[in-house]
Amino acid sequence: MYFDKDATSQHIDGETVAVIGYGIQGKAFAANLRDSGVSVIIGNRTDEYRDAAVADGFDTRPIAEAVDGASIVLLLIPDEAHPEVFNAHIAPHLHDGDLFVLAHGFSVRYDRIMVPAGVDVALLAPKMFGKPIRQRYLNGSGVLAFLDVIRDTTGRALRRTLGIAAAVGFTRYGVMPVSHQTETELDLFQEQFLTPLLLDVFRTAFEVLVEAGYDPLPSLLDMHASGEMAEMMVEAASTGLYEVVEQQGSPTCRFGVQRYLGQLLGGEVKARGREILDDIRSGGFVEALSKEAEAGYPSLDEYRSAYLANPMTTAHDRLRAALGAQA
Ligand code: NDP
């Protein structure tokens, strides 16, 4: 792990950083870099994100010009837009000795972009969305990030990437060396196994309760909408998943938990997890994603109509109306 003792923004003294994209990550990275004394240029198309960067006082330029004016380039636009934007506006403007940094390994892991030889390449992947990256920086703390030096032509790639990590505040919490392949695969596995599993667990619990005659609104509140479960997960991030139950649960709660723990998910679910991981690692998922994107994401439309209008969602809408601003 790397901490503040291992890195300083002085590692990138005299360099200018182009932040490409001013969205969830770009806005937070740019503000923290600037407050750490780093020279920053924003690269963005002409639209409302560009206007926001200008309003926040940044030197804002078309993407190609921003890359031309910098020696370090952070690509912070959605991964699906990387190949087109990279090939047209970034690659032709990178120079030997520049450092090119991604916040997610996807585009490099699956060869969707080819960074010119002579350019350093690194991954600096925050394990958090943008707002906490900014808020914690302002509070004097930071968030965790994964780091991988993918190509080192200058002999300074690690030092420079740690310079960025220190300036954004990641080394205040900790920066863990993790290969870009692993970072990408873990992220996709979380999205494709854990997230659907959790959503299905909540839906199943909701259906059991409502079919047994319970009112959907208190059922939803008790399941997750009160925020208690979310607080428990926040607590678990520091104390551990089992320990949080041990520390926060009454004997009645703990007795109930231990009575069924380990019995509700069969080996079949674990086997499905392995299949999903194999599909991610073999490139099957990326192939399916490319076909889906070419066809205009038809499955996402089906997902919206199948799930976003289901009884749990409509109950949540009623709950929001009942609770007003609290929900
Ligand atoms: P956002 O969706 O917030 O990015 C929005 C920005 O990208 C805007 O500046 C937008 O400008 C620009 N953009 C979008 N589409 C295009 C396009 N086709 N051409 C040019 N610019 C475009 O992205 P995130 O901040 O969520 O993600 C950025 C990177 O960070 C990704 O690699 C992601 O995987 C990674 N990441 C994200 C995390 C998160 O919590 N969101 C966590 C960790 C990593 P415009 O006005 O031109 O649309």
Side-chain angles (χ1 to χ4, degrees), residues 21-26 44-45 47-50 63 75-79 81-82 85 103-104 125-126 128-130:
Y22 198 68
I24 295 168
Q25 292 291 330
N44 211 89
R45 298 187 295 196
D47 63 10
E48 77 267 22
Y49 287 97
R50 181 192 171 278
I63 294 173
L75 184 58
L76 298 176
I77 65 173
D79 301 277
H82 285 188
V85 173
H104 182 29
M128 190 61 77
F129 42 95

Side-chain angles (χ1 to χ4, degrees), residues 49-133:
Y49 287 97
R50 181 192 171 278
D51 296 345
V54 172
D56 290 340
F58 283 102
D59 174 353
T60 306
R61 308 181 193 176
I63 294 173
E65 277 182 36
V67 175
D68 266 331
S71 54
I72 297 177
V73 177
L74 305 186
L75 184 58
L76 298 176
I77 65 173
D79 301 277
E80 57 272 19
H82 285 188
E84 193 190 328
V85 173
F86 183 81
N87 291 332
H89 306 288
I90 296 178
H93 300 272
L94 286 169
H95 307 105
D96 282 357
D98 283 355
L99 168 65
F100 176 71
V101 183
L102 296 123
H104 182 29
F106 188 85
S107 294
V108 175
R109 161 68 179 84
Y110 292 111
D111 299 325
R112 289 162 66 90
I113 61 170
M114 303 305 277
V115 184
V119 174
D120 287 351
V121 185
L123 169 76
L124 188 58
K127 293 292 102 189
M128 190 61 77
F129 42 95
K131 269 191 188 163
I133 294 176

Side-chain angles (χ1 to χ4, degrees), residues 162-207:
L162 282 173
I164 299 283
V168 181
F170 298 141
T171 47
R172 294 176 181 177
Y173 189 106
V175 173
M176 179 178 273
V178 173
S179 77
H180 66 284
Q181 293 93 340
T182 296
E183 184 272 337
T184 304
E185 291 160 17
L186 292 181
D187 195 71
L188 293 175
F189 185 70
Q190 192 241 61
E191 287 167 1
Q192 292 175 39
F193 181 66
L194 202 53
T195 303
L197 195 59
L198 283 174
L199 292 176
D200 277 346
V201 164
F202 281 113
R203 183 181 48 81
T204 305
F206 182 77
E207 285 172 4

